[in-house]
Amino acid sequence: MTVVVYGVRDSVPRGVRRRARQDRNRTRIEATDGDFGSAVRRACALEGDVVLLKGDATVERGWLERLQYSAYRADEIGITGPKLLDSSGRLLSAGVHYDAAVSGELGHRYAGREAALGEANIIVPVTGLDEACLYVKREALTRDSTSAVDLSLRGWHEDRRTYYVPSATVRAAAAELPRSLGARGFFGARDVRTSDGRLRVVYVTEDTGVGGGHRDIFEHLNRLAARGHEVELFSLGEHPIWFDLEVPTRIFASYGAMLDILEPFDAIKVAT
């Protein structure tokens, strides 16, 4: 396994040098003063797994073991990355997410929040990771990836997952603005707003019979409508008579007939 330190040729984080000295037979260090894309191309010329690590990052005890262990929890995991903190201990990134519904932009999960935030301390699959540190299995490397998010999206396209591993901690001065030329295409970005800015939202149910789950869904629909959004219910059942549902119900004879309408429909779709 090789740690490719990029961005600063002569500056290798102290924890990385210590690990390499302790494990000479298994951990090597390569340094390049190029950018992330250069580090990826360098990594592709090497054998085995790699860590792509920015030269100004500071690693904390156990970071590498935890990333490597998590990468091999399942065959379909291709990339893992750490909890990224600033110098004061606040979150810079808990992985990258894509806001398809509102902004259509990539962003860092829980940026600016306390490191102890419960939601930020759960190992989860994520859209991508910050470029400061990624553990990448050999088969997940793609030579023409120019950003960390691109590398992850190519993996997702080939059924290889990217996981955020909060037990591994790395510190950096700042998180990079997430970027990917292919993000909108990958997520099948749709125009989910009306011309006057309201959201179009569709909920899908099999039927509309009496039940607590259906009541919750109908409450969602009514409250979204009350906020001015354009909402509908798609169902194989009739419009409910036991609940005062104030939005229209489109009734279909089969799921096939429903999908013919639903698939090309530009809206946020919630299937229950």
Side-chain angles (χ1 to χ4, degrees):
M1 193 271 296
T2 305
V3 180
V4 179
V5 181
Y6 72 96
V8 187
R9 178 176 290 277
D10 298 323
S11 177
V12 174
R14 183 180 304 171
V16 177
R17 288 195 182 280
R18 184 187 308 118
R19 171 60 189 257
R21 286 197 301 268
Q22 293 172 347
D23 194 7
R24 294 177 184 271
N25 295 327
R26 296 185 181 180
T27 306
R28 301 180 301 277
I29 299 174
E30 293 274 343
T32 174
D33 56 2
D35 60 8
F36 183 85
S38 299
V40 170
R41 291 190 292 275
R42 178 63 186 136
C44 287
L46 303 171
E47 295 182 359
D49 295 352
V50 299
V51 173
L52 303 172
L53 183 69
K54 203 168 184 181
D56 61 357
T58 301
V59 298
E60 298 197 354
R61 185 181 297 275
W63 68 284
L64 184 52
E65 293 87 346
R66 291 163 184 170
L67 291 179
Q68 187 176 52
Y69 173 80
S70 297
Y72 282 91
R73 289 174 65 238
D75 290 341
E76 63 267 23
I77 298 176
I79 302 172
T80 57
K83 179 193 298 181
L84 190 65
L85 305 179
D86 64 15
S87 58
S88 68
R90 299 187 75 86
L91 283 163
L92 289 171
S93 181
V96 169
H97 68 101
Y98 180 72
D99 185 357
V102 181
S103 68
E105 301 290 339
L106 295 161
H108 291 288
R109 300 171 68 242
Y110 308 118
R113 306 286 295 275
E114 294 287 344
L117 178 72
E119 297 93 322
N121 285 281
I122 302 170
I123 182 169
V124 290
V126 290
T127 298
L129 297 161
D130 186 76
E131 296 184 356
C133 179
L134 298 87
Y135 185 101
V136 187
K137 287 182 178 176
R138 177 67 196 178
E139 59 270 22
L141 281 168
T142 53
R143 184 177 180 83
D144 55 349
S145 294
T146 58
S147 75
V149 176
D150 274 337
L151 190 62
S152 288
L153 291 184
R154 289 172 186 272
W156 280 109
H157 186 71
E158 297 174 359
D159 296 324
R160 286 194 298 269
R161 302 176 182 179
T162 293
Y163 265 76
Y164 163 69
V165 182
S167 61
T169 304
V170 171
R171 295 178 185 265
E176 294 291 330
L177 180 67
R179 57 191 175 86
S180 171
L181 295 176
R184 287 184 65 82
F186 177 85
F187 288 102
R190 298 174 181 267
D191 184 2
V192 298
R193 291 189 178 273
T194 63
S195 58
D196 56 359
R198 296 178 297 151
L199 287 172
R200 283 189 297 268
V201 184
V202 173
Y203 274 67
V204 178
T205 65
E206 183 173 12
D207 59 54
T208 55
V210 177
H214 286 154
R215 178 180 292 277
D216 286 343
I217 292 166
F218 301 159
E219 288 282 3
H220 290 183
L221 288 164
N222 281 350
R223 293 183 187 190
L224 286 167
R227 293 186 178 188
H229 299 303
E230 186 177 287
V231 294
E232 287 185 84
L233 174 66
F234 282 25
S235 182
L236 304 186
E238 300 291 330
H239 189 87
I241 59 174
W242 60 274
F243 184 93
D244 186 18
L245 181 60
E246 299 171 356
V247 307
T249 301
R250 284 207 216 186
I251 302 168
F252 298 87
S254 66
Y255 278 123
M258 182 191 294
L259 287 173
D260 288 342
I261 302 299
L262 187 64
E263 186 173 2
F265 193 66
D266 286 342
I268 298 170
K269 304 163 189 177
V270 184
T272 61

